Amino acid sequence: MNTDFKQKWAKCLELIKSNIGQDRFDIWFSDTHPEAFSEKDDTIDLRVPSQYYVQVYEKDFINLIRAALRRVFGRDIKVAYLHSVIGNDKSSDVRIQGPEHAEILKNKLVKQYENEPIQNRKANFDSQLVSNLTFENYCIGESNRLPVTIAEFIANNPGQAEFNPFFLYGNVGVGKTHLAQAIGVRIKERNPKAKVLYVPIKQFQTLYANATIKKEIPAFINWFQQMDVLLFDDLQELAHKSGTAEALFPIFNHLQQNRKNLIFTCDRPPMELDGIADRLIDRFKWGVTERLPNPDYELRKKILQFKARKNGLEMSEEVTDVIASTVNGSVREMEQIVMRMLTRSIVKNLPITVDLAREAMVDVVKQPERKVINFDMIVETTAEHFNLNADAIFSRSRLRDIADARQVIMYLTHKHTSLSSPAIGHKLNRKHATVLHGINSIKDRLSYSKELYELINSIESELI
């Protein structure tokens, strides 16, 4: 057994923190600890607070974790996760091997179902809530005000029948999980004894499968029926899982009839769900169904500024506008862009500029197919913006407007085509040195001239 794996993991954490920033690190890694290391299997066991952390690690951080482990250990290291389902009781540990296997190797929660009478089961289980996913950390704008208002009402008035169940749907990355978790966190803050449980549907399916093998479905159902609040995430994963859906049916009925809150998140409304029994879909409609839309432009700007401030990043209105105008509304996408800007700013020792923002958006934002831009297109479009005849561009005239238009053409041709500086000079009947001077002149002026920046953007928007 390697005796210094804990020190090595501490070095890994330093690398991870330098990449994602202090605030994000505090949320996702401050409570993660190394518990064991097998030199035989090259596997490190990480104890995490809950199953939800495993999902986030596998989705958002696994490449960074692997890179840090490789850097510190000097070779590829596999990851396994440990978490206790019942409070801090290690006898209820679940161990999940990394993405290569993605299967539960040990699950004592089912054993608890089997061996302990239901009436004796304690409620000090892991609620699987993330304490930072609160209403206070949720950005609100006109586009999402209604669903957030409903969520806060439920959180402040648990047990009311008006919005039970609450069915929240929307595209991937718009903040459904955060909003659902915020309900649970608020209820637990106000009543620590409340039995609140956040359950991704995939986890519910796994627990159901284990209970099926042990022939303990009634005990499984009864345990969930004891909850005060059940937060089911990614309901679309229930499609064509008839057995799991059948188990959910009596849980739903019992909790709804006893005014216990049910919250569902999904990527589509109930009527568009396939492979789920009609009687269950009908029950999803009993309360209120609300769409969480993609953030509008103003809310996107607000989210970007909020994410930047939390990571100690100063972001100008100009940079915010460029990102907000480009992204499609995914909060997850915006957070990733902010973190990529932060990393590049630190590593390259550069200020946060529009160019840095555009670099950070590469491979994050799906870019529309761009048409091929050529020299003639640039000349024609630039001449129109300067109200010039295109022939004047090629003349020997040194009039200010013509000279400016010529330099803009040099800059845009250099940026958007494969033409070399001598080739650009040949087309414009100018020397190579003149072209280089023109390109650098535009680059320098862009750093302080808002008028020139807007002109270049306007021309590029027509070209692209």
Side-chain angles (χ1 to χ4, degrees):
M1 177 70 69
N2 194 330
T3 57
D4 65 345
F5 70 93
K6 291 185 178 181
Q7 288 80 4
K8 287 186 175 181
W9 174 248
K11 292 180 181 178
C12 291
L13 289 179
E14 288 299 318
L15 291 172
I16 292 169
K17 181 165 63 176
S18 69
N19 275 272
I20 67 175
Q22 185 70 52
D23 285 348
R24 204 171 182 214
F25 177 86
D26 288 343
I27 292 172
W28 296 113
F29 287 92
S30 60
D31 292 326
T32 296
H33 309 286
E35 190 148 305
F37 179 72
S38 169
E39 290 186 336
K40 179 181 178 182
D41 300 327
D42 271 346
T43 300
I44 188 168
D45 284 7
L46 300 178
R47 180 165 292 280
V48 296
S50 71
Q51 169 80 16
Y52 184 61
Y53 279 73
V54 178
Q55 290 183 308
V56 173
Y57 280 16
E58 292 293 290
K59 187 174 189 307
D60 297 334
F61 296 116
I62 190 60
N63 290 333
L64 179 58
I65 292 171
R66 282 174 171 168
L69 287 167
R70 188 182 306 114
R71 176 88 172 268
V72 174
F73 282 79
R75 60 190 187 278
D76 288 327
I77 301 296
K78 295 188 283 291
V79 180
Y81 308 98
L82 293 170
H83 75 88
S84 300
V85 178
I86 311 298
N88 294 318
D89 180 8
K90 290 190 176 183
S91 68
S92 69
D93 271 1
V94 173
R95 183 175 186 271
I96 304 174
Q97 193 76 14
E100 294 83 0
H101 303 287
E103 64 182 73
I104 294 181
L105 303 182
K106 179 176 64 177
N107 188 341
K108 294 186 179 179
L109 177 59
V110 175
K111 187 174 181 180
Q112 175 181 300
Y113 288 150
E114 298 166 355
N115 294 344
E116 187 175 1
I118 292 170
Q119 61 269 24
N120 294 338
R121 290 178 190 154
K122 298 178 182 179
N124 64 332
F125 54 85
D126 174 16
S127 291
Q128 302 200 120
L129 297 172
V130 179
S131 60
N132 290 78
L133 296 182
T134 63
F135 287 110
E136 290 73 21
N137 287 334
Y138 201 87
C139 291
I140 306 173
E142 288 307 313
S143 59
N144 68 354
R145 192 174 300 279
L146 178 58
V148 175
T149 300
I150 293 172
E152 281 207 87
F153 178 85
I154 294 169
N156 294 333
N157 302 276
Q160 299 294 317
E162 288 91 334
F163 300 112
N164 194 28
F166 180 34
F167 193 102
L168 183 68
Y169 73 94
N171 293 330
V172 173
V174 296
K176 301 186 297 296
T177 298
H178 186 152
L179 194 54
Q181 287 246 353
I183 296 173
V185 171
R186 173 73 61 82
I187 291 173
K188 286 291 286 184
E189 284 175 348
R190 296 190 171 191
N191 180 11
K193 293 183 179 180
K195 302 173 187 176
V196 180
L197 183 62
Y198 166 83
V199 190
I201 286 294
K202 282 190 175 180
Q203 185 186 24
F204 185 73
Q205 290 170 358
T206 300
L207 294 173
Y208 170 78
N210 287 334
T212 301
I213 293 170
K214 300 297 183 181
K215 296 182 170 49
E216 290 293 339
I217 295 300
F220 170 85
I221 292 172
N222 287 336
W223 191 77
F224 278 95
Q225 287 176 334
Q226 295 179 71
M227 301 303 148
D228 295 314
V229 181
L230 264 179
L231 306 151
F232 283 106
D233 203 5
D234 290 328
L235 191 69
Q236 69 276 1
E237 299 287 348
L238 197 62
H240 305 292
K241 304 291 192 304
S242 58
T244 312
E246 283 298 314
L248 179 58
F249 190 78
I251 294 170
F252 182 103
N253 285 343
H254 179 86
L255 295 180
Q256 207 274 340
Q257 289 167 10
N258 287 277
R259 292 197 168 191
K260 305 299 184 181
N261 288 102
L262 287 149
I263 290 93
F264 298 96
T265 74
C266 192
D267 66 359
R268 68 202 76 174
M271 67 285 296
E272 293 182 13
L273 286 167
D274 295 323
I276 298 177
D278 289 343
R279 62 174 184 157
L280 192 54
I281 290 177
D282 182 62
R283 279 160 173 75
F284 296 148
K285 303 175 188 176
W286 282 2
V288 62
T289 297
E290 193 60 46
R291 175 174 172 262
L292 186 61
N294 283 22
D296 59 18
Y297 172 73
E298 290 301 326
L299 183 54
R300 294 200 296 272
K301 289 175 64 176
K302 190 173 182 180
I303 292 169
L304 285 165
Q305 288 289 353
F306 178 78
K307 298 292 184 185
R309 284 194 302 271
K310 280 194 67 88
N311 288 283
L313 199 63
E314 289 293 330
M315 199 159 67
S316 69
E317 184 72 20
E318 185 182 16
V319 172
T320 305
D321 179 71
V322 167
I323 301 172
S325 301
T326 306
V327 296
N328 65 7
S330 167
V331 178
R332 200 174 298 155
E333 192 174 81
M334 286 186 273
E335 184 177 56
Q336 190 174 355
I337 291 167
V338 169
M339 296 313 304
R340 285 166 67 97
M341 283 196 300
L342 177 63
T343 302
R344 282 159 173 74
S345 175
I346 294 171
V347 172
K348 298 182 179 182
N349 194 26
L350 293 173
I352 303 299
T353 62
V354 169
D355 286 341
L356 192 70
R358 286 180 173 145
E359 181 183 335
M361 286 190 283
V362 174
D363 299 327
V364 177
V365 180
K366 184 178 180 181
Q367 302 294 330
E369 289 188 12
R370 301 176 63 170
K371 59 186 178 183
V372 178
I373 300 172
N374 60 41
F375 175 79
D376 292 335
M377 290 166 60
I378 293 171
V379 171
E380 186 176 331
T381 307
T382 303
E384 283 183 14
H385 276 73
F386 278 86
N387 295 315
L388 296 172
N389 186 309
D391 292 339
I393 303 294
F394 300 95
S395 70
R396 307 305 299 181
S397 173
R398 295 188 179 182
L399 289 174
R400 179 63 182 270
D401 283 354
I402 296 175
D404 280 353
R406 198 179 289 128
Q407 287 190 341
V408 168
I409 290 168
M410 293 171 182
Y411 170 80
L412 291 174
T413 304
H414 174 73
K415 180 178 178 180
H416 292 287
T417 76
S418 59
L419 290 176
S420 64
S421 299
I424 296 171
H426 178 73
K427 284 184 174 289
L428 289 170
N429 299 315
R430 294 297 187 276
K431 295 180 180 178
H432 176 215
T434 303
V435 174
L436 290 177
H437 171 74
I439 293 170
N440 291 327
S441 175
I442 295 296
K443 285 182 178 179
D444 290 341
R445 289 170 58 195
L446 279 173
S447 64
Y448 62 83
S449 174
K450 184 177 180 181
E451 183 180 356
L452 178 62
Y453 172 80
E454 290 175 348
L455 172 68
I456 295 288
N457 267 358
S458 180
I459 295 173
E460 287 182 318
S461 66
E462 287 191 30
L463 289 170
I464 297 171

